[in-house]
Amino acid sequence: MSLGLRSARPPSAIVVAVAIATANAATPVAPDHVAASEPSAALRWEKAGRSPPSPASAEDRLDLDLDARVPTGPAIEDLTARLREEIRRLDAGPATAADKVARALRERAVLLLEARGGEADIAALAGLRLAMARAAVDRYATDTSSSVDELAGRRLAAWRSLLLERFADRSLEDLREAVSGRRGLDGPLARSMTPLLEAMIAGTSHAAGNHWPAASPHELTRPAAAPDADATIAIDVDLSENPEIASTYESWRLRAVHADLSAGAIEATGAALETIVSASHLPPPLRDELLEASVERLGDRRDDSISAGSAWIVAVGELLDAIDRAARRPDRSRRSRPMLVESVLRPLTTTESTTPAQTESIRQAAATLALGNLAAAIEDREIRRELRATRATLRRRAIESESRWISGVSDARAGGGVDRAATRASGLAHLRDLERLAGLSTLVDRLGGFDPRATVPAANRARELAAPLVEPLKRSAAAENIDRTLDASPLRFTVLDADSTSFDGAAALRDRLDARRRQWIEAWTAGDDRRASSIEAEFATLEELLAIVEQVQGLQAETGDSPGRRVAPWAAWWVRPEAIDAAIGTLAPRLALATTAWLRGDLPAARRSLQAIRETMPIAAFAIEVDRTIGSRLAPLPGGALGVVKSLALPPGPQAWFPLPRRDLARLSLLEFERRAALAAGRDADAERLRLEIAASLAGPRR
């Protein structure tokens, strides 16, 4: 069963998945459309002698298609049905001016909630926010009082009435085209809502402010323009030795910027060109060939050649660096540089065309030589005496694999040779084993620092674990055993210092951890893996606990109060202020519960508390990020119905801040509305499935 909203694209960031989805987990209350289901006095439901209809049961409509373009779900459908019924009742009897305004508002909300096209999620969020504000707008439309003198009051009331009439009578044809996907949404929606906004702010001081603020005052005034190459990419590349290369690179750089090639790729290309230009150790004919090939690739003006040419040049630069380092190794003779150039560089680079396979071969060559360089660089003094015999064998085998690979390049050129991929994989395995030895050496030293009596037995245990690495049939199991030991070590993390934290329970955590560390060392050095593993389970939970402690303390340091009221007016989402404040406020108590559970050895209870924190943390972190970035500009803005109407009549500008794509924020708000409705209806299982579906449907980096 699929439980969610229909939408064309999946959202792209997991941070807001649980952020929106768990916003109200601590304070489940009925959704606004339930709380505001009783219409205003303007609608006179009581005089009609009828009550609002009960919508069809939502349980029958939970099998939703996430790939459709119309963002619908049980709660959205119920809200739309309720709005349609309210419109029918308004049409049934004599309509006052206030009733006409109420009808016009509901008609707009229905159009938005049933939108199609690429902006359907954004339109539905606008419809949801407008529907949530309808009771307050109804009250405003019936309120003709004024705080100014009688004559001015009558004039103001007449002006407001005229504006409300314009709102009620305005044609919605352009908005209908927008919600059908045939044109953009923001312009038609703004024009349809402007008369209502003008009426609501007439005679008030609420005209200023922006519910779609930019990230900084500078962003608010900076004009939108194409990126300036010199301002966007500042790279220190010296190609003065070769003016032709310098000129070609500059021209290519401008095209690369406008083709959206990353700054890192552009910089790496310039650095690689500098390496090629300054490669005086190369035979002049070969160096000239590389420079000529570089100019040719930079000068290719086909769109797909920009990134391909960059990748080839960067790969050649990496290979030249690797050859230079390899030639200067103590284990190589003076003749090694020409040998590497002729055996590796020339066969791989002297081709007329650039193909992904050729570029990848050059990159693999550079990586293979880099592996050999790393293996050769690991010195005896970095490895404990007990492990040096194993280290010598692994180092020799890694360098032998490198030599076989180099021979394989020339042999492959001649149509034969060894399996270079297998040879490179063998060298990589030897290098990783050398890194394991270094990890074991560090572990023994740290265990000895914690308890000097543990040094000798720990060193002997490390030697036992490392010895099978040089035996082909035993290597895999030995490597897995060492990795598990290094990952499980109780010294791989530190507990917060007593004088640097106010975290309740930190001192007790340190005391228990030290005791369990000694017990683990005793079990591990004695080879009692079962006992050591049982203690390691506690370490894994504690490590997660300490990571969350750090996050919670960081959040508490960023906000001295609850930011819910400040960030709720942001027009990009729909969330309740008290839900944000509750999410932040529950972190410390839940952390205390997790700490207490760990101290008494109740790992299941500790994990449950940590899981609750993980589900609440994203909304706290995201809300604090919003508050930190735009909270100061949101705080003075009006909320409620006026804030909603104003944000729809004044759409976002080109510099509006969106930490996620606007559509993803809208869709997540709609999903959260569905989840809250499921909770209010007592459908806890449905609400949980929605929460999980939200989290599972999101992936990708934040902006």
Side-chain angles (χ1 to χ4, degrees), residues 211 562-577 580-581 584 619 622-632 634-635 657:
H211 285 74
S562 299
R565 295 292 172 189
R566 288 193 297 273
V567 300
W570 189 33
W573 66 356
W574 177 83
V575 67
R576 298 179 65 88
I580 294 175
D581 296 341
I584 296 174
I619 180 59
F622 186 73
I624 289 173
E625 179 185 357
V626 174
D627 186 40
R628 182 180 62 246
T629 308
I630 58 175
S632 62
L634 290 172
W657 179 70

Side-chain angles (χ1 to χ4, degrees), residues 273-553:
L273 285 172
E274 193 172 354
T275 298
I276 298 172
V277 168
S278 60
S280 58
H281 56 277
L282 291 180
L286 178 58
R287 180 183 173 216
D288 291 344
E289 288 180 24
L290 292 177
L291 291 174
E292 183 178 348
S294 299
V295 169
E296 179 180 344
R297 285 160 173 80
L298 292 178
D300 190 339
R301 293 186 171 272
R302 292 175 298 176
D303 292 340
D304 60 350
S305 69
I306 293 178
S307 60
S310 169
W312 185 89
I313 292 170
V314 170
V316 171
E318 291 174 351
L319 181 54
L320 286 173
D321 283 337
I323 288 175
D324 185 56
R325 294 177 185 275
R328 291 187 278 110
R329 280 176 7 204
D331 62 302
R332 292 197 176 277
S333 66
R334 291 186 301 173
R335 293 286 303 162
S336 62
R337 189 188 303 275
M339 182 273 293
L340 292 171
V341 168
E342 295 300 324
S343 300
V344 179
L345 181 64
R346 189 183 295 276
L348 293 176
T349 58
T350 54
T351 58
E352 295 182 358
S353 61
T354 299
T355 65
Q358 182 208 18
T359 300
E360 181 61 21
S361 294
I362 298 173
R363 289 183 62 255
Q364 292 290 345
T368 301
L369 289 177
L371 291 178
N373 294 340
L374 288 172
I378 297 178
E379 301 179 2
D380 281 345
R381 57 186 172 83
E382 300 177 32
I383 305 294
R384 287 191 61 86
R385 176 178 53 81
E386 296 85 353
L387 304 176
R388 288 177 185 171
T390 303
R391 175 259 180 195
T393 301
L394 292 174
R395 179 180 181 276
R396 184 182 69 253
R397 291 179 181 177
I399 294 175
E400 288 172 353
S401 295
E402 178 198 50
S403 299
R404 286 196 304 273
W405 186 91
I406 292 172
S407 299
V409 174
S410 297
D411 293 342
R413 184 87 167 172
V418 299
D419 185 343
R420 284 185 288 162
T423 302
R424 182 176 181 275
S426 174
L428 179 59
H430 294 319
L431 178 62
R432 287 175 175 166
D433 288 343
L434 286 168
E435 293 173 345
R436 291 184 175 99
L437 291 185
L440 284 175
S441 292
T442 300
L443 175 60
V444 171
D445 291 341
R446 294 191 66 187
L447 293 178
F450 178 75
D451 184 355
R453 296 171 298 178
T455 302
V456 173
N460 292 334
R461 177 66 171 151
R463 181 171 55 201
E464 293 174 5
L465 293 176
L469 289 176
V470 299
E471 301 181 39
L473 297 180
K474 298 180 180 180
R475 179 200 167 270
S476 179
E480 183 178 345
N481 198 7
I482 293 172
D483 290 344
R484 188 193 62 79
T485 298
L486 296 177
D487 289 341
S489 164
L491 298 178
R492 69 189 184 282
F493 55 86
T494 58
V495 181
L496 301 175
D497 296 333
D499 58 355
S500 65
T501 178
S502 59
F503 169 52
D504 292 338
L509 282 179
R510 282 191 297 275
D511 293 341
R512 179 173 174 82
L513 175 60
D514 286 347
R516 298 301 274 166
R517 277 172 167 168
R518 290 187 175 89
Q519 294 168 10
W520 181 87
I521 294 171
E522 179 182 340
W524 181 72
T525 54
D528 189 348
D529 292 339
R530 176 175 297 183
R531 184 181 174 211
S533 296
S534 67
I535 300 173
E536 289 162 8
E538 295 185 39
F539 295 152
T541 303
L542 177 62
E543 186 171 34
E544 183 178 3
L545 174 61
L546 293 178
I548 289 179
V549 167
E550 185 175 357
Q551 294 177 51
V552 170
Q553 289 189 322

